[in-house]
Amino acid sequence: MNAQWLLLSPILTPVLLVCLMLACAGCAGLFYRTRMLVNERDEANSAAEMSMIQLRKSMQIDQLTGLLSRQRLTEIAKIEMARCRRYGHPLSVVCMDIDHFNQINRDYSDTVGDSVLNGLARMTQALIRQSDVVCRWNGGAFLLLLPHTGLDQALELAEKLRRQTGDSALLVDNHVSVSIGSACLSTQESFESMTRRAEDALHQAKSEGRNRSLGHHSAEDTIRLGSHTAGS
């Protein structure tokens, strides 16, 4: 009875209504603020996810040429090495470097140097097989991974790349050349060891005057070549 009297009281009823309205307004404000915080959290999570996607992409793709990154090619190479060893197929790498690339950047600008890199990347992609992989190795250098390819075949491709680069118009008013080193995977060799031998052959090509392609024969290659010579 007392409670009914309080609700029907002409004095307290407006007070109760005001309190109820204030409580509803407070709840609405709290709900709106909570929703804003949830939206901000979702936007932050989405931005973080996009950043992670872009980071993963940048780790897999060279941003200048659109070729695979060095890290991604290394991952693929280790898979191909296991496959080639399982089935007894050869695997080779070709390391190609633009001669006097730093001088091109100095004489013509970095923009022109970037254009030369992109032109050489497109030309290389057009010459290799679908099963081959090419990446931007560093600076003005590219590395090609060639499954089912022995050293002789790798040297043939290297020479084709060298000649076509010399015949191309990568620079309008000057000649662009490349030096190339090749190596074929040996039985117990790591990917790092094979690429190091290809780079050694590349450096030798540079020291012998540039604009040439050389191969690095492993100890196994030397033994096979010696056996073949003795047999013939």
Side-chain angles (χ1 to χ4, degrees):
M1 192 69 172
N2 290 338
Q4 185 179 7
W5 178 83
L6 286 173
L7 291 173
L8 296 176
S9 171
I11 298 174
L12 293 179
T13 298
V15 175
L16 291 173
L17 289 173
V18 170
C19 291
L20 181 61
M21 291 174 63
L22 288 173
C24 291
C27 290
L30 180 61
F31 174 80
Y32 177 76
R33 179 59 182 164
T34 302
R35 188 61 188 169
M36 288 288 292
L37 291 173
V38 170
N39 289 340
E40 289 175 1
R41 182 202 64 191
D42 291 344
E43 289 175 1
N45 289 341
S46 178
E49 289 174 4
M50 288 299 298
S51 296
M52 286 300 297
I53 291 171
Q54 291 174 355
L55 178 61
R56 285 195 294 268
K57 183 177 179 181
S58 68
M59 293 172 67
Q60 294 184 350
I61 302 294
D62 177 63
Q63 299 303 301
L64 175 61
T65 62
L67 299 177
L68 292 181
S69 67
R70 178 171 180 158
Q71 176 179 332
R72 181 56 183 151
L73 182 135
T74 301
E75 293 170 355
I76 295 172
K78 292 179 179 179
I79 296 171
E80 288 294 341
M81 285 171 61
R83 182 181 293 115
C84 288
R85 281 181 169 143
R86 185 181 306 121
Y87 297 107
H89 300 311
L91 175 73
S92 294
V93 292
V94 170
C95 190
M96 174 175 64
D97 187 61
I98 300 172
D99 293 331
H100 304 295
F101 182 63
N102 290 334
Q103 186 175 340
I104 291 173
N105 285 329
R106 287 194 301 269
D107 293 348
Y108 292 90
S109 79
D110 290 341
T111 302
V112 173
D114 291 347
S115 177
V116 171
L117 280 172
N118 277 305
L120 185 55
R122 301 290 83 75
M123 187 191 77
T124 302
Q125 285 181 311
L127 282 176
I128 63 178
R129 304 166 302 181
Q130 189 172 2
S131 59
D132 299 333
V133 185
V134 57
C135 81
R136 171 112 178 268
W137 195 239
N138 58 51
F142 300 86
L143 189 82
L144 288 73
L145 180 71
L146 311 175
H148 303 271
T149 304
L151 184 59
D152 289 341
Q153 293 171 294
L155 288 170
E156 288 177 10
L157 175 61
E159 187 59 19
K160 186 183 296 184
L161 285 165
R162 188 193 66 80
R163 289 197 306 267
Q164 187 149 330
T165 301
D167 294 338
S168 67
L170 294 175
L171 277 177
V172 176
D173 61 346
N174 209 337
H175 174 75
V176 175
S177 66
V178 292
S179 297
I180 307 176
S182 304
C184 184
L185 183 68
S186 62
T187 305
Q188 299 298 326
E189 190 172 34
S190 66
F191 175 69
E192 290 73 19
S193 173
M194 177 174 57
T195 55
R196 187 162 52 248
R197 288 195 296 111
E199 289 177 322
D200 288 345
L202 166 64
H203 295 149
Q204 184 179 347
K206 294 275 190 184
S207 67
E208 292 183 8
R210 296 182 171 85
N211 191 24
R212 62 193 63 210
S213 58
L214 297 174
H216 190 292
H217 292 274
S218 67
E220 290 180 13
D221 293 329
T222 304
I223 292 171
R224 282 196 293 268
L225 286 171
S227 299
H228 177 72
T229 303
S232 60

